[in-house]
Amino acid sequence: ETGVTQTPRHLVMGMTNKKSLKCEQHLGHNAMYWYKQSAKKPLELMFVYNFKEQTENNSVPSRFSPECPNSSHLFLHLHTLQPEDSALYLCASSQDLEGAKTQYFGPGTRLLVL
Amino acid sequence: GQNIDQPTEMTATEGAIVQINCTYQTSGFNGLFWYQQHAGEAPTFLSYNVLDGLEEKGRFSSFLSRSKGYSYLLLKELQMKDSASYLCAAMDSNYQLIWGAGTKLIIKP
């Protein structure tokens, strides 16, 4: 257990559905991240939040909408996704964004878009 | 551009030693991370190097050469549970992690 939990672990959705991914960290961290992991590709950073404020949006399509209500929780709202969005979505947290801080990951949500 | 290179897949024998190499090119450098990821699980932190040299942690060691843009992860006395993907990531001048695609390590009895 890394102290970062994600739900659901698996999700199948149609292109017209709306769903949300949830991440919760129990480490007292202030920075949280969403990553996309596709087979045989490097992790792609999607969004970064620090003290609930979004500090990074790596040109992510608007069909992905993040929400960070507090430093412990992070959501990724999904709507009108495409089949190429099928991937493992990983949440991570770190103490903050000052200096070189280790990121701790959740187990991910395996998403399949039909 | 920023880039990380590591082998896609390696195979080793239980009880043996394996070295997983990683080369990096980043805008500035604030250290090199190694993570282990078992299939279907979270990547877990293994090591962090920012100075040249070898850091040993039990059966795992990590080496860094900043002048060569090179790191390796050394796994000794391999066990079946070491079968996993190993992710190399370099931290750039903005403290952002640049990730490699991972090396899948297969351990055979």
Side-chain angles (χ1 to χ4, degrees), chain B residues 36-96:
Chain B
Q36 179 191 60
Q37 186 179 22
H38 286 101
E41 297 184 16
T44 55
F45 169 74
L46 288 178
S47 67
Y48 170 69
N49 295 63
V50 68
L51 300 176
D52 285 354
L54 187 68
E55 298 265 350
E56 296 187 68
K57 200 184 289 186
R59 293 189 299 113
F60 292 10
S61 302
S62 55
F63 171 83
L64 177 67
S65 168
R66 294 178 64 136
S67 62
K68 295 182 179 178
Y70 167 70
S71 172
Y72 67 73
L73 182 69
L74 190 72
L75 291 74
K76 303 176 186 174
E77 301 168 20
L78 286 170
Q79 302 175 11
M80 298 303 293
K81 67 178 182 180
D82 297 329
S83 292
S85 287
Y86 291 86
L87 311 180
C88 172
M91 187 166 270
D92 69 12
S93 58
N94 294 319
Y95 297 101
Q96 285 215 359

Short mmCIF file of all heavy atoms in Angstrom, two decimals, chain B residues 36-96:
data_model
loop_
_atom_site.label_atom_id
_atom_site.label_comp_id
_atom_site.label_asym_id
_atom_site.label_seq_id
_atom_site.Cartn_x
_atom_site.Cartn_y
_atom_site.Cartn_z
N GLN B 36 9.53 0.66 -9.54
CA GLN B 36 9.16 -0.71 -9.91
C GLN B 36 7.64 -0.76 -10.06
O GLN B 36 6.93 -0.21 -9.23
CB GLN B 36 9.60 -1.69 -8.82
CG GLN B 36 9.24 -3.14 -9.09
CD GLN B 36 9.47 -4.01 -7.85
OE1 GLN B 36 8.88 -3.79 -6.80
NE2 GLN B 36 10.34 -5.00 -7.98
N GLN B 37 7.17 -1.42 -11.11
CA GLN B 37 5.73 -1.54 -11.30
C GLN B 37 5.38 -2.98 -11.67
O GLN B 37 5.68 -3.45 -12.77
CB GLN B 37 5.24 -0.59 -12.39
CG GLN B 37 3.72 -0.58 -12.54
CD GLN B 37 3.24 0.40 -13.61
OE1 GLN B 37 3.97 0.77 -14.51
NE2 GLN B 37 1.99 0.84 -13.49
N HIS B 38 4.72 -3.68 -10.74
CA HIS B 38 4.20 -5.00 -11.06
C HIS B 38 2.92 -4.83 -11.87
O HIS B 38 2.21 -3.82 -11.74
CB HIS B 38 3.90 -5.79 -9.77
CG HIS B 38 5.14 -6.29 -9.10
ND1 HIS B 38 5.70 -5.69 -8.01
CD2 HIS B 38 5.92 -7.36 -9.38
CE1 HIS B 38 6.77 -6.36 -7.63
NE2 HIS B 38 6.94 -7.37 -8.45
N ALA B 39 2.65 -5.82 -12.71
CA ALA B 39 1.49 -5.76 -13.59
C ALA B 39 0.21 -5.47 -12.79
O ALA B 39 -0.08 -6.16 -11.81
CB ALA B 39 1.35 -7.06 -14.36
N GLY B 40 -0.52 -4.47 -13.22
CA GLY B 40 -1.78 -4.14 -12.58
C GLY B 40 -1.66 -3.41 -11.25
O GLY B 40 -2.66 -3.24 -10.53
N GLU B 41 -0.44 -3.00 -10.91
CA GLU B 41 -0.23 -2.34 -9.62
C GLU B 41 0.38 -0.94 -9.79
O GLU B 41 0.76 -0.55 -10.89
CB GLU B 41 0.65 -3.20 -8.72
CG GLU B 41 0.03 -4.54 -8.36
CD GLU B 41 0.87 -5.35 -7.41
OE1 GLU B 41 1.80 -4.79 -6.79
OE2 GLU B 41 0.62 -6.56 -7.28
N ALA B 42 0.48 -0.23 -8.67
CA ALA B 42 1.07 1.11 -8.68
C ALA B 42 2.58 1.06 -8.87
O ALA B 42 3.24 0.16 -8.34
CB ALA B 42 0.76 1.81 -7.35
N PRO B 43 3.14 2.01 -9.59
CA PRO B 43 4.60 2.16 -9.56
C PRO B 43 5.03 2.49 -8.14
O PRO B 43 4.41 3.32 -7.48
CB PRO B 43 4.86 3.34 -10.50
CG PRO B 43 3.64 3.47 -11.34
CD PRO B 43 2.50 3.00 -10.48
N THR B 44 6.07 1.83 -7.66
CA THR B 44 6.58 2.11 -6.31
C THR B 44 8.02 2.59 -6.39
O THR B 44 8.81 2.08 -7.17
CB THR B 44 6.49 0.87 -5.40
OG1 THR B 44 7.18 -0.20 -6.02
CG2 THR B 44 5.05 0.46 -5.17
N PHE B 45 8.33 3.55 -5.57
CA PHE B 45 9.65 4.21 -5.57
C PHE B 45 10.73 3.23 -5.14
O PHE B 45 10.60 2.52 -4.14
CB PHE B 45 9.60 5.40 -4.61
CG PHE B 45 10.93 6.02 -4.32
CD1 PHE B 45 11.57 6.79 -5.26
CD2 PHE B 45 11.54 5.81 -3.09
CE1 PHE B 45 12.81 7.35 -4.98
CE2 PHE B 45 12.76 6.37 -2.80
CZ PHE B 45 13.41 7.15 -3.75
N LEU B 46 11.82 3.19 -5.91
CA LEU B 46 12.97 2.36 -5.55
C LEU B 46 14.16 3.20 -5.11
O LEU B 46 14.78 2.91 -4.09
CB LEU B 46 13.40 1.50 -6.75
CG LEU B 46 12.52 0.33 -7.15
CD1 LEU B 46 13.10 -0.35 -8.39
CD2 LEU B 46 12.40 -0.66 -6.01
N SER B 47 14.51 4.22 -5.92
CA SER B 47 15.73 4.95 -5.62
C SER B 47 15.73 6.32 -6.27
O SER B 47 14.99 6.57 -7.23
CB SER B 47 16.96 4.17 -6.11
OG SER B 47 16.96 4.11 -7.53
N TYR B 48 16.58 7.18 -5.71
CA TYR B 48 16.78 8.53 -6.24
C TYR B 48 18.27 8.83 -6.17
O TYR B 48 18.89 8.68 -5.12
CB TYR B 48 16.00 9.55 -5.42
CG TYR B 48 16.32 11.00 -5.73
CD1 TYR B 48 15.96 11.56 -6.95
CD2 TYR B 48 16.98 11.80 -4.80
CE1 TYR B 48 16.24 12.89 -7.23
CE2 TYR B 48 17.27 13.13 -5.08
CZ TYR B 48 16.90 13.66 -6.29
OH TYR B 48 17.18 14.98 -6.58
N ASN B 49 18.85 9.23 -7.30
CA ASN B 49 20.26 9.65 -7.36
C ASN B 49 20.33 11.06 -7.91
O ASN B 49 19.70 11.36 -8.92
CB ASN B 49 21.06 8.73 -8.30
CG ASN B 49 21.16 7.30 -7.83
OD1 ASN B 49 20.15 6.60 -7.72
ND2 ASN B 49 22.37 6.85 -7.56
N VAL B 50 21.12 11.89 -7.25
CA VAL B 50 21.37 13.22 -7.80
C VAL B 50 22.87 13.48 -7.93
O VAL B 50 23.30 14.31 -8.73
CB VAL B 50 20.66 14.32 -6.98
CG1 VAL B 50 21.27 14.45 -5.60
CG2 VAL B 50 20.66 15.64 -7.72
N LEU B 51 23.67 12.76 -7.15
CA LEU B 51 25.12 12.86 -7.24
C LEU B 51 25.68 11.64 -7.95
O LEU B 51 25.08 10.56 -7.90
CB LEU B 51 25.73 12.96 -5.83
CG LEU B 51 25.27 14.16 -5.00
CD1 LEU B 51 25.89 14.08 -3.60
CD2 LEU B 51 25.64 15.46 -5.67
N ASP B 52 26.83 11.79 -8.57
CA ASP B 52 27.48 10.68 -9.24
C ASP B 52 27.82 9.57 -8.25
O ASP B 52 28.20 9.84 -7.12
CB ASP B 52 28.78 11.14 -9.92
CG ASP B 52 28.53 11.92 -11.19
OD1 ASP B 52 27.36 12.01 -11.61
OD2 ASP B 52 29.51 12.44 -11.76
N GLY B 53 27.68 8.35 -8.72
CA GLY B 53 28.11 7.24 -7.90
C GLY B 53 27.03 6.21 -7.71
O GLY B 53 25.96 6.27 -8.33
N LEU B 54 27.34 5.27 -6.84
CA LEU B 54 26.48 4.11 -6.61
C LEU B 54 25.80 4.23 -5.26
O LEU B 54 26.44 4.51 -4.25
CB LEU B 54 27.34 2.84 -6.64
CG LEU B 54 26.62 1.49 -6.58
CD1 LEU B 54 25.81 1.26 -7.85
CD2 LEU B 54 27.63 0.37 -6.37
N GLU B 55 24.48 4.02 -5.26
CA GLU B 55 23.70 3.98 -4.03
C GLU B 55 23.19 2.56 -3.86
O GLU B 55 22.51 2.05 -4.74
CB GLU B 55 22.49 4.94 -4.11
CG GLU B 55 22.86 6.40 -4.28
CD GLU B 55 22.90 7.12 -2.96
OE1 GLU B 55 22.48 6.54 -1.94
OE2 GLU B 55 23.37 8.28 -2.94
N GLU B 56 23.51 1.95 -2.71
CA GLU B 56 23.09 0.56 -2.50
C GLU B 56 21.97 0.50 -1.47
O GLU B 56 22.04 1.17 -0.43
CB GLU B 56 24.29 -0.26 -2.03
CG GLU B 56 25.39 -0.33 -3.10
CD GLU B 56 26.50 -1.29 -2.73
OE1 GLU B 56 26.26 -2.50 -2.69
OE2 GLU B 56 27.63 -0.81 -2.49
N LYS B 57 20.98 -0.32 -1.79
CA LYS B 57 19.85 -0.48 -0.89
C LYS B 57 19.44 -1.94 -0.93
O LYS B 57 18.59 -2.35 -1.71
CB LYS B 57 18.70 0.43 -1.35
CG LYS B 57 17.67 0.73 -0.29
CD LYS B 57 16.50 1.57 -0.86
CE LYS B 57 16.90 2.99 -1.17
NZ LYS B 57 15.71 3.81 -1.59
N GLY B 58 20.07 -2.75 -0.09
CA GLY B 58 19.76 -4.17 -0.08
C GLY B 58 20.20 -4.84 -1.36
O GLY B 58 21.33 -4.67 -1.82
N ARG B 59 19.28 -5.57 -2.00
CA ARG B 59 19.63 -6.28 -3.25
C ARG B 59 19.66 -5.34 -4.45
O ARG B 59 20.13 -5.70 -5.52
CB ARG B 59 18.61 -7.40 -3.51
CG ARG B 59 18.63 -8.53 -2.51
CD ARG B 59 17.75 -9.69 -2.96
NE ARG B 59 16.35 -9.32 -3.11
CZ ARG B 59 15.71 -9.28 -4.28
NH1 ARG B 59 16.34 -9.59 -5.41
NH2 ARG B 59 14.42 -8.94 -4.33
N PHE B 60 19.12 -4.12 -4.26
CA PHE B 60 19.05 -3.18 -5.38
C PHE B 60 20.08 -2.07 -5.20
O PHE B 60 20.27 -1.55 -4.09
CB PHE B 60 17.65 -2.54 -5.46
CG PHE B 60 16.54 -3.49 -5.86
CD1 PHE B 60 16.74 -4.85 -5.93
CD2 PHE B 60 15.29 -3.00 -6.16
CE1 PHE B 60 15.72 -5.72 -6.30
CE2 PHE B 60 14.25 -3.85 -6.53
CZ PHE B 60 14.46 -5.20 -6.60
N SER B 61 20.72 -1.69 -6.31
CA SER B 61 21.66 -0.57 -6.31
C SER B 61 21.35 0.30 -7.52
O SER B 61 20.92 -0.22 -8.56
CB SER B 61 23.10 -1.05 -6.41
OG SER B 61 23.43 -1.92 -5.35
N SER B 62 21.62 1.59 -7.40
CA SER B 62 21.42 2.48 -8.53
C SER B 62 22.65 3.34 -8.70
O SER B 62 23.22 3.83 -7.72
CB SER B 62 20.16 3.33 -8.36
OG SER B 62 20.21 4.05 -7.14
N PHE B 63 23.03 3.54 -9.96
CA PHE B 63 24.25 4.28 -10.29
C PHE B 63 23.89 5.46 -11.17
O PHE B 63 22.98 5.39 -12.00
CB PHE B 63 25.21 3.35 -11.03
CG PHE B 63 26.41 4.06 -11.61
CD1 PHE B 63 27.53 4.31 -10.81
CD2 PHE B 63 26.43 4.48 -12.93
CE1 PHE B 63 28.63 4.97 -11.33
CE2 PHE B 63 27.52 5.14 -13.46
CZ PHE B 63 28.62 5.38 -12.66
N LEU B 64 24.64 6.55 -11.00
CA LEU B 64 24.43 7.73 -11.83
C LEU B 64 25.76 8.30 -12.30
O LEU B 64 26.70 8.42 -11.50
CB LEU B 64 23.68 8.80 -11.05
CG LEU B 64 23.44 10.14 -11.76
CD1 LEU B 64 22.49 9.98 -12.93
CD2 LEU B 64 22.93 11.19 -10.78
N SER B 65 25.80 8.67 -13.59
CA SER B 65 26.90 9.47 -14.14
C SER B 65 26.27 10.67 -14.81
O SER B 65 25.68 10.56 -15.89
CB SER B 65 27.72 8.66 -15.14
OG SER B 65 28.60 9.52 -15.85
N ARG B 66 26.40 11.83 -14.19
CA ARG B 66 25.78 13.04 -14.74
C ARG B 66 26.47 13.48 -16.03
O ARG B 66 25.82 13.93 -16.96
CB ARG B 66 25.83 14.17 -13.70
CG ARG B 66 25.00 13.89 -12.48
CD ARG B 66 25.10 14.99 -11.45
NE ARG B 66 24.57 16.26 -11.95
CZ ARG B 66 23.79 17.06 -11.25
NH1 ARG B 66 23.43 16.71 -10.03
NH2 ARG B 66 23.38 18.20 -11.75
N SER B 67 27.77 13.32 -16.09
CA SER B 67 28.50 13.76 -17.28
C SER B 67 28.12 12.93 -18.51
O SER B 67 28.14 13.43 -19.64
CB SER B 67 30.01 13.68 -17.04
OG SER B 67 30.40 12.33 -16.79
N LYS B 68 27.73 11.68 -18.30
CA LYS B 68 27.36 10.80 -19.42
C LYS B 68 25.85 10.72 -19.62
O LYS B 68 25.39 10.09 -20.57
CB LYS B 68 27.91 9.39 -19.19
CG LYS B 68 29.43 9.33 -19.19
CD LYS B 68 29.93 7.91 -19.01
CE LYS B 68 31.45 7.87 -19.04
NZ LYS B 68 31.99 6.50 -18.81
N GLY B 69 25.08 11.34 -18.75
CA GLY B 69 23.62 11.24 -18.86
C GLY B 69 23.16 9.80 -18.78
O GLY B 69 22.33 9.34 -19.58
N TYR B 70 23.68 9.09 -17.78
CA TYR B 70 23.51 7.63 -17.73
C TYR B 70 23.26 7.17 -16.32
O TYR B 70 23.86 7.66 -15.36
CB TYR B 70 24.78 7.00 -18.30
CG TYR B 70 24.95 5.52 -18.07
CD1 TYR B 70 24.14 4.60 -18.72
CD2 TYR B 70 25.95 5.05 -17.22
CE1 TYR B 70 24.31 3.23 -18.51
CE2 TYR B 70 26.14 3.69 -17.01
CZ TYR B 70 25.31 2.79 -17.66
OH TYR B 70 25.48 1.45 -17.46
N SER B 71 22.36 6.20 -16.22
CA SER B 71 22.09 5.57 -14.92
C SER B 71 21.85 4.08 -15.16
O SER B 71 21.50 3.66 -16.26
CB SER B 71 20.84 6.19 -14.28
OG SER B 71 20.44 5.49 -13.12
N TYR B 72 22.07 3.30 -14.14
CA TYR B 72 21.62 1.92 -14.20
C TYR B 72 21.08 1.47 -12.86
O TYR B 72 21.42 2.01 -11.80
CB TYR B 72 22.72 0.96 -14.70
CG TYR B 72 23.93 0.76 -13.81
CD1 TYR B 72 23.85 0.02 -12.63
CD2 TYR B 72 25.17 1.29 -14.16
CE1 TYR B 72 24.97 -0.17 -11.82
CE2 TYR B 72 26.30 1.09 -13.38
CZ TYR B 72 26.19 0.37 -12.21
OH TYR B 72 27.30 0.18 -11.41
N LEU B 73 20.20 0.50 -12.93
CA LEU B 73 19.65 -0.17 -11.75
C LEU B 73 20.20 -1.59 -11.75
O LEU B 73 20.09 -2.31 -12.76
CB LEU B 73 18.12 -0.20 -11.83
CG LEU B 73 17.39 -0.82 -10.64
CD1 LEU B 73 17.54 0.07 -9.40
CD2 LEU B 73 15.91 -1.00 -10.97
N LEU B 74 20.81 -1.98 -10.64
CA LEU B 74 21.43 -3.30 -10.53
C LEU B 74 20.62 -4.13 -9.53
O LEU B 74 20.41 -3.68 -8.40
CB LEU B 74 22.87 -3.17 -10.06
CG LEU B 74 23.73 -4.42 -10.10
CD1 LEU B 74 24.07 -4.78 -11.54
CD2 LEU B 74 25.04 -4.21 -9.32
N LEU B 75 20.16 -5.27 -9.96
CA LEU B 75 19.40 -6.15 -9.10
C LEU B 75 20.20 -7.44 -8.88
O LEU B 75 20.55 -8.13 -9.84
CB LEU B 75 18.05 -6.51 -9.72
CG LEU B 75 16.99 -5.42 -9.84
CD1 LEU B 75 17.31 -4.45 -10.95
CD2 LEU B 75 15.62 -6.04 -10.06
N LYS B 76 20.49 -7.76 -7.63
CA LYS B 76 21.26 -8.94 -7.30
C LYS B 76 20.36 -10.04 -6.74
O LYS B 76 19.25 -9.77 -6.27
CB LYS B 76 22.33 -8.61 -6.26
CG LYS B 76 23.29 -7.51 -6.66
CD LYS B 76 24.25 -7.20 -5.51
CE LYS B 76 25.13 -6.02 -5.83
NZ LYS B 76 25.97 -5.62 -4.68
N GLU B 77 20.88 -11.27 -6.76
CA GLU B 77 20.17 -12.41 -6.17
C GLU B 77 18.69 -12.38 -6.58
O GLU B 77 17.79 -12.39 -5.74
CB GLU B 77 20.29 -12.39 -4.65
CG GLU B 77 21.72 -12.44 -4.16
CD GLU B 77 21.83 -12.12 -2.67
OE1 GLU B 77 20.83 -12.25 -1.94
OE2 GLU B 77 22.92 -11.72 -2.24
N LEU B 78 18.47 -12.36 -7.88
CA LEU B 78 17.14 -12.20 -8.41
C LEU B 78 16.15 -13.23 -7.87
O LEU B 78 16.47 -14.41 -7.73
CB LEU B 78 17.16 -12.27 -9.93
CG LEU B 78 17.72 -11.05 -10.65
CD1 LEU B 78 17.91 -11.34 -12.12
CD2 LEU B 78 16.82 -9.84 -10.44
N GLN B 79 14.96 -12.73 -7.57
CA GLN B 79 13.87 -13.59 -7.10
C GLN B 79 12.72 -13.47 -8.09
O GLN B 79 12.60 -12.48 -8.82
CB GLN B 79 13.42 -13.15 -5.70
CG GLN B 79 14.55 -13.20 -4.67
CD GLN B 79 14.13 -12.64 -3.32
OE1 GLN B 79 12.95 -12.39 -3.05
NE2 GLN B 79 15.11 -12.45 -2.43
N MET B 80 11.86 -14.48 -8.09
CA MET B 80 10.74 -14.47 -9.05
C MET B 80 9.88 -13.23 -8.87
O MET B 80 9.36 -12.68 -9.84
CB MET B 80 9.90 -15.73 -8.90
CG MET B 80 10.64 -17.04 -9.18
SD MET B 80 11.37 -17.08 -10.84
CE MET B 80 9.90 -17.12 -11.85
N LYS B 81 9.78 -12.74 -7.64
CA LYS B 81 8.94 -11.57 -7.37
C LYS B 81 9.51 -10.29 -7.97
O LYS B 81 8.84 -9.25 -8.00
CB LYS B 81 8.74 -11.38 -5.87
CG LYS B 81 10.03 -10.99 -5.12
CD LYS B 81 9.75 -10.78 -3.64
CE LYS B 81 11.02 -10.35 -2.90
NZ LYS B 81 10.78 -10.12 -1.45
N ASP B 82 10.76 -10.35 -8.47
CA ASP B 82 11.36 -9.18 -9.11
C ASP B 82 10.87 -9.01 -10.55
O ASP B 82 11.19 -8.00 -11.20
CB ASP B 82 12.89 -9.29 -9.11
CG ASP B 82 13.47 -9.32 -7.70
OD1 ASP B 82 12.88 -8.70 -6.80
OD2 ASP B 82 14.51 -9.98 -7.50
N SER B 83 10.11 -9.97 -11.04
CA SER B 83 9.51 -9.83 -12.37
C SER B 83 8.54 -8.66 -12.34
O SER B 83 7.54 -8.67 -11.60
CB SER B 83 8.75 -11.11 -12.77
OG SER B 83 9.64 -12.18 -12.96
N ALA B 84 8.83 -7.63 -13.11
CA ALA B 84 8.07 -6.39 -13.07
C ALA B 84 8.62 -5.48 -14.17
O ALA B 84 9.59 -5.81 -14.84
CB ALA B 84 8.20 -5.71 -11.72
N SER B 85 7.99 -4.32 -14.31
CA SER B 85 8.55 -3.28 -15.17
C SER B 85 9.30 -2.29 -14.30
O SER B 85 8.87 -1.99 -13.17
CB SER B 85 7.45 -2.55 -15.94
OG SER B 85 6.92 -3.37 -16.95
N TYR B 86 10.42 -1.80 -14.80
CA TYR B 86 11.25 -0.85 -14.07
C TYR B 86 11.29 0.45 -14.86
O TYR B 86 11.69 0.48 -16.02
CB TYR B 86 12.64 -1.44 -13.84
CG TYR B 86 12.58 -2.59 -12.87
CD1 TYR B 86 12.28 -3.88 -13.30
CD2 TYR B 86 12.72 -2.38 -11.50
CE1 TYR B 86 12.15 -4.93 -12.41
CE2 TYR B 86 12.60 -3.43 -10.59
CZ TYR B 86 12.30 -4.70 -11.05
OH TYR B 86 12.16 -5.74 -10.16
N LEU B 87 10.82 1.51 -14.21
CA LEU B 87 10.67 2.81 -14.87
C LEU B 87 11.78 3.74 -14.43
O LEU B 87 12.02 3.92 -13.23
CB LEU B 87 9.32 3.44 -14.51
CG LEU B 87 8.07 2.57 -14.66
CD1 LEU B 87 6.83 3.36 -14.26
CD2 LEU B 87 7.93 2.04 -16.05
N CYS B 88 12.43 4.35 -15.42
CA CYS B 88 13.47 5.35 -15.19
C CYS B 88 12.85 6.73 -15.45
O CYS B 88 12.09 6.90 -16.42
CB CYS B 88 14.63 5.07 -16.14
SG CYS B 88 15.92 6.31 -16.19
N ALA B 89 13.11 7.69 -14.60
CA ALA B 89 12.58 9.04 -14.79
C ALA B 89 13.61 10.06 -14.34
O ALA B 89 14.14 9.96 -13.24
CB ALA B 89 11.28 9.21 -14.02
N ALA B 90 13.87 11.05 -15.19
CA ALA B 90 14.80 12.13 -14.86
C ALA B 90 14.02 13.40 -14.55
O ALA B 90 13.02 13.68 -15.21
CB ALA B 90 15.76 12.37 -16.03
N MET B 91 14.48 14.13 -13.58
CA MET B 91 13.81 15.37 -13.18
C MET B 91 14.53 16.55 -13.83
O MET B 91 15.75 16.70 -13.65
CB MET B 91 13.80 15.47 -11.67
CG MET B 91 12.98 16.64 -11.13
SD MET B 91 12.67 16.47 -9.37
CE MET B 91 11.11 15.58 -9.37
N ASP B 92 13.76 17.38 -14.55
CA ASP B 92 14.39 18.48 -15.28
C ASP B 92 14.52 19.74 -14.41
O ASP B 92 14.26 19.70 -13.20
CB ASP B 92 13.63 18.76 -16.59
CG ASP B 92 12.25 19.36 -16.39
OD1 ASP B 92 11.92 19.78 -15.26
OD2 ASP B 92 11.49 19.39 -17.37
N SER B 93 14.90 20.82 -15.03
CA SER B 93 15.16 22.05 -14.28
C SER B 93 13.91 22.62 -13.63
O SER B 93 14.00 23.38 -12.67
CB SER B 93 15.79 23.11 -15.19
OG SER B 93 14.93 23.36 -16.29
N ASN B 94 12.73 22.25 -14.12
CA ASN B 94 11.46 22.70 -13.54
C ASN B 94 10.91 21.69 -12.54
O ASN B 94 9.74 21.79 -12.15
CB ASN B 94 10.42 22.94 -14.64
CG ASN B 94 10.80 24.09 -15.54
OD1 ASN B 94 11.29 25.12 -15.07
ND2 ASN B 94 10.60 23.92 -16.85
N TYR B 95 11.72 20.73 -12.19
CA TYR B 95 11.34 19.66 -11.25
C TYR B 95 10.19 18.81 -11.80
O TYR B 95 9.41 18.25 -11.04
CB TYR B 95 10.99 20.23 -9.86
CG TYR B 95 12.19 20.88 -9.21
CD1 TYR B 95 12.32 22.27 -9.21
CD2 TYR B 95 13.20 20.12 -8.64
CE1 TYR B 95 13.44 22.88 -8.65
CE2 TYR B 95 14.32 20.72 -8.07
CZ TYR B 95 14.43 22.09 -8.08
OH TYR B 95 15.53 22.68 -7.53
N GLN B 96 10.09 18.73 -13.13
CA GLN B 96 9.14 17.83 -13.75
C GLN B 96 9.84 16.52 -14.11
O GLN B 96 11.00 16.52 -14.54
CB GLN B 96 8.58 18.45 -15.03
CG GLN B 96 7.56 19.54 -14.76
CD GLN B 96 6.45 19.56 -15.79
OE1 GLN B 96 6.43 18.78 -16.73
NE2 GLN B 96 5.49 20.45 -15.58
#
